[in-house]
């Protein structure tokens, strides 16, 4: 699979922490042929040797010392290039053509934009106008989030990149779609006779998706101030997980079939707007508090954050999918920073059995739950009721668990590794199609428009908690509650 990978932003954080180690893992596993090369592009001046040294350092920081590292980094070249400066694309093209010739890369090119989003459109336009996309092989554009700031800006960006690349050539990264257990949702649903017949509004009472972080905004205050949890997490990662949970079985596992089923979910999202927003969505911003015994500041005291900031660091919502399968089933989603724990989990709560023979006044039977652990644990747990050993007929919850960590972890590729490999193979299934982006922005814009015009009563949750009280009330009024994340951890089989 010969290819030239051009990484724009090769001196940045993403390239160092994720892309170089992921490329090394592909190399180590024999998934990169000898016919590959990387051109790193950044603004600062570096020699090839200096660049190769920084690649070595990122690989050893992530994966430890590697014997064949020299062999790997020999394929790396650096070009200092200001992407805003039109004149420097000619030199980049010359270097790319020489390397193509040297490694016999058949003109296959991947352009990976690991840079601030305002550069995405201009780079794509230059790649075309300066001839870098005039190749006899394939050309693919990999683009990081955020894809726009709202529907209008996303449309504008899409228009720009579509002048140089067709939709099939655009790989919009949603790194959640690289996660092992997110990819597993489809298999759990469609490869098991016991789940699919129950996967509808007759048997499922609600679905909860939580993605919590204990970290605060760290150094990203400037970016986060113009984004917030709704745009940073919900528009992309959270809604992508909802789509995978809710989609109809595709007629085959091709990219087009899977994407079209996901798009149908996005089309069925109930539009929440105006006055209704407060009944369906809750926003929060963290106050000071304690995490792992350490005092942490409030969001408004973080670097590059406005003292009066109206930006949400937490969002919880009730998403309704108005189609035949899901009518009446709420999908509750929540995500935030500085929460009690770092965890991404999905809980599928089944309806209560029609008549409870084992009811004891002080002890209700728990509903059956299927828990999908996305991170940091990876696995699935099924909560059943069974007889208490030795007792009479008292029922207790037992958990049947599968933990990926125990069996496959050593070989589990990191998300970016899988996504890079998919891109090289031309498999766009786990990247977001423009239609998904457009529908999800249309959904989110209605909420952000309301929030932008109303000053929030922030801060409204202490760091180290699971968000504001209003997020609990959102479920309480429907007769549900958030399943406590700590009680759901993968246990060994009981
Ligand atoms: P970063 O650390 O700020 O790196 C920015 C890169 O862009 C640097 O290599 C910088 O080169 C280069 N650059 C800036 N202006 C340039 C110009 N005019 N011409 C050429 N190069 C220029 O950013 P990052 O954290 O890696 O993030 C990159 C992208 O990935 C963003 O879209 C971000 O939202 C997305 N992302 C990042 C992460 C993450 O974990 N970091 C996760 C998900 C998504 P110099 O340093 O030489 O100026």
């Amino acid at each position: 699979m010969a290819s030239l990978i051009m990484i724009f932003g090769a001196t940045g954080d993403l390239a160092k922490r994720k892309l170089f180690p992921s490329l090394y893992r592909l190399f180590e596993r024999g998934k990169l042929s000898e016919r590959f090369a990387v051109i790193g592009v950044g603004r600062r001046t570096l020699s090839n040797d200096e660049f190769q040294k920084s690649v070595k350092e990122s690989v050893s920081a992530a994966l430890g010392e590697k014997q064949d590292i020299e062999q790997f980094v020999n394929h790396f070249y650096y070009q200092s290039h200001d992407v805003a400066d039109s004149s420097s694309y000619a030199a980049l093209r010359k270097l790319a053509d020489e390397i193509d010739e040297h490694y016999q890369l058949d003109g296959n090119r991947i352009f990976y934009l690991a840079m601030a989003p305002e550069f995405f459109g201009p780079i794509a336009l230059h790649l075309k106008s300066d001839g870098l996309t005039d190749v006899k092989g394939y050309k693919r554009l990999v683009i990081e989030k955020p894809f726009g700031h709202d529907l209008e800006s996303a449309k504008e960006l899409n228009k720009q990149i579509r002048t140089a690349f067709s939709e099939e050539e655009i790989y919009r990264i949603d790194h959640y779609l690289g996660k092992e257990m997110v990819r597993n949702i489809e298999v759990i649903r469609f490869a098991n006779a016991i789940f699919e017949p129950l996967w509808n509004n007759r048997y499922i009472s609600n679905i909860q998706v939580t993605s919590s972080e204990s970290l605060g905004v760290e150094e990203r205050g400037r970016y986060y101030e113009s984004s917030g949890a709704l745009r940073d997490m919900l528009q992309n990662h959270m809604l992508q997980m909802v789509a995978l949970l809710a989609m109809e079985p595709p007629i085959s596992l091709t990219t087009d079939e899977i994407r079209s089923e996901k798009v149908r979910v996005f089309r069925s999202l109930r539009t929440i707007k105006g006055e209704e927003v407060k009944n369906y969505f809750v926003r929060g911003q963290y106050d000071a508090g304690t995490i792992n015994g350490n005092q942490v500041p409030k969001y408004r005291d973080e670097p590059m954050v406005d003292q009066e900031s109206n930006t949400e660091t937490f969002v919880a919502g009730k998403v309704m999918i108005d189609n035949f399968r899901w009518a009446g089933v709420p999908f509750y989603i929540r995500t935030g920073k500085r929460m009690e724990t770092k965890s991404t989990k999905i809980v599928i709560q089944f309806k209560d059995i029609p008549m409870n023979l084992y009811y004891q006044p002080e002890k209700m039977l728990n509903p059956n739950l299927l828990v999908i652990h996305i991170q940091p644990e990876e696995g699935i747990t099924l909560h059943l009721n069974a007889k208490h050993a030795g007792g009479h007929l008292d029922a207790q919850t037992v958990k049947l668990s599968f933990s990926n960590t125990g069996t496959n972890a050593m070989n589990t590729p990191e998300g970016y590794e899988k996504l890079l490999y998919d891109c090289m193979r031309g498999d766009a299934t786990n990247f977001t199609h423009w239609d998904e982006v457009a529908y999800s922005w249309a959904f989110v814009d209605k909420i952000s428009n309301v929030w932008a015009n109303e000053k929030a009563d922030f801060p409204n949750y202490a760091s180290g908690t699971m968000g504001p009280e209003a997020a609990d009330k959102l479920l309480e009024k429907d007769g549900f509650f958030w399943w406590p994340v700590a009680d759901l951890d993968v246990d060994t089989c009981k």
Side-chain angles (χ1 to χ4, degrees), residues 302-321:
E302 300 278 18
M304 288 176 287
V305 169
D306 186 341
Q307 280 291 310
E308 296 289 309
S309 175
N310 206 36
T311 302
E312 77 288 348
T313 61
F314 173 96
V315 56
K318 170 171 150 179
V319 174
M320 301 302 292
I321 297 168

Side-chain angles (χ1 to χ4, degrees), residues 214 288-297 338 463-464:
S214 54
T290 313
I291 294 201
N292 299 329
N294 299 322
Q295 262 310 110
V296 291
R338 281 275 191 252
S463 287

Side-chain angles (χ1 to χ4, degrees), residues 7-18 41-46 78-85 89 112-120 123 143-146 173 175 220 223 232 237 416:
I7 301 179
F8 290 78
T11 52
D13 177 67
L14 182 74
K16 287 183 184 159
R17 281 192 313 110
K18 299 287 183 190
V41 175
R43 216 171 7 181
R44 71 193 72 173
T45 314
L46 288 182
Y78 184 78
Q79 177 80 14
S80 169
H81 163 100
D82 186 334
V83 294
D85 172 8
Y89 284 86
Y112 197 122
L113 307 192
M115 293 192 51
E118 62 263 32
F119 294 119
F120 295 165
I123 296 176
I143 194 159
E144 270 294 338
K145 77 167 193 184
I173 292 253
H175 68 270
R220 295 173 70 222
Y223 159 73
D232 190 46
H237 313 314
Y416 273 95

Side-chain angles (χ1 to χ4, degrees), residues 151 235 239 262-269 433-445:
L151 181 57
Q235 178 268 334
L239 288 180
K262 282 168 70 190
V263 169
R264 276 153 52 101
V265 175
F266 286 108
R267 287 173 52 207
S268 322
L269 291 177
H433 187 274
W434 165 245
D435 292 346
E436 298 170 56
V437 175
Y439 279 113
S440 57
W441 273 127
F443 178 79
V444 160
D445 279 358

